[in-house]
Amino acid sequence: MNELAGKRALVTGGSRGIGAAIALALAERGADVAISYERAADRAQGIVEQIEVMGRQAIAIQADAADPEANRRLVDEAVRALGGLDILVNNAGAFRHGTIAELSLDDINTLLHVNIRGTVLTTQAAIPHLKSGGRVITIGSNIAERVPFTGGFTLYALTKSAHLAFTRGLARELGAANVTVNLVQPGPIETELNPAQGSNADLNRSLMALPRYGTTEELAGVVAFLAGPAASFVTGSVVTADGGFNA
């Protein structure tokens, strides 16, 4: 697998979980990779070292996705370190659980600033660097289109539903430059923050056609496909990888 040889990728929120798996999958296919992290410097450095073992260039950059200046600085530092940018994966995200009546202003701002504004500003900063064949891939959520729970996920789902319009509109804006824009909507994926034996796991499995949690590697494979040459005619698309949760 060397279909991404010579490509430079930035994966936001790449120090753990889904983001880390995406960064490693892109590197396995030949890309040099920059990742961002907020606090987990040691873990981010561990991902960098795994990528370097593959013979790829890698860098970890501290950036708070809620900070507008940090989003712009992140892209600038990644471009300087890698010598350019071909693939942007908007993976950084925030989650707050609570009904609309319960959520604090801080909760609301965090979700809006990280999940929506952070994605928009990072992409905005990346666009001037993306040449023909470039990729923008955003990691959303399957509950952007369906919220089958009694409460606590409404605002989070709202922020993820914004990715649908963002992806479709931006695909139109960047199509003439031959840059593709796509959205991946994961369902239940096993991570340390969403364990397959967690308190909501049985409920999630009961809603799925495939009654199991997905792996980060499975989701990373979807992203790697969209980043590669086989997906050159795929843009403005939504790929939902949720084990049939929304079937």
Side-chain angles (χ1 to χ4, degrees):
M1 295 188 297
N2 207 35
E3 63 266 31
L4 297 180
K7 301 296 185 182
R8 290 76 49 96
L10 169 60
V11 181
T12 67
S15 65
R16 63 183 181 181
I18 290 171
I22 292 169
L24 293 171
L26 298 179
E28 286 169 355
R29 289 159 175 79
D32 295 328
V33 183
I35 64 172
S36 73
Y37 68 94
E38 184 181 2
R39 291 184 295 270
D42 291 346
R43 299 184 67 165
Q45 184 57 35
I47 300 301
V48 166
E49 292 170 1
Q50 290 183 63
I51 293 172
E52 290 176 339
V53 167
M54 301 178 199
R56 315 301 180 200
Q57 186 177 358
I59 184 173
I61 303 167
Q62 194 283 327
D64 180 354
D67 180 347
E69 291 306 316
N71 290 305
R72 299 184 180 96
R73 174 181 54 79
L74 167 63
V75 173
D76 289 343
E77 291 189 21
V79 168
R80 283 197 297 270
L82 302 181
L85 186 64
D86 304 288
I87 301 163
L88 171 65
V89 181
N90 289 307
N91 171 73
F95 176 75
R96 297 288 186 275
H97 182 269
T99 66
I100 294 299
E102 295 168 341
L103 289 170
S104 68
L105 180 59
D106 181 64
D107 291 330
I108 293 167
N109 282 337
T110 295
L111 287 171
L112 295 175
H113 291 170
V114 174
N115 295 351
I116 300 178
R117 189 178 69 183
T119 296
V120 172
L121 292 180
T122 302
T123 304
Q124 185 183 56
I127 286 171
H129 304 285
L130 296 172
K131 309 306 180 186
S132 178
R135 303 283 192 265
V136 177
I137 303 165
T138 299
I139 309 302
S141 171
N142 69 324
I143 68 169
E145 298 183 87
R146 180 187 180 207
V147 187
F149 309 112
T150 56
F153 293 86
T154 302
L155 186 64
Y156 176 75
L158 179 156
T159 64
K160 291 300 184 176
S161 69
H163 294 156
L164 292 160
F166 181 67
T167 295
R168 290 163 177 156
L170 190 64
R172 297 282 186 181
E173 293 184 16
L174 300 185
N178 194 35
V179 173
T180 68
V181 185
N182 292 293
L183 174 64
V184 177
Q185 295 188 144
I189 303 294
E190 182 167 18
T191 65
E192 63 186 84
L193 298 179
N194 188 28
Q197 302 305 321
S199 58
N200 293 319
D202 287 341
L203 172 59
N204 283 328
R205 280 189 286 267
S206 74
L207 296 169
M208 300 166 71
L210 298 174
R212 66 170 178 87
Y213 272 45
T215 68
T216 56
E217 290 78 14
E218 286 174 314
L219 192 73
V222 175
V223 175
F225 164 73
L226 292 172
S232 58
F233 197 55
V234 180
T235 195
S237 293
V238 180
V239 181
T240 300
D242 67 355
F245 187 104
N246 281 352

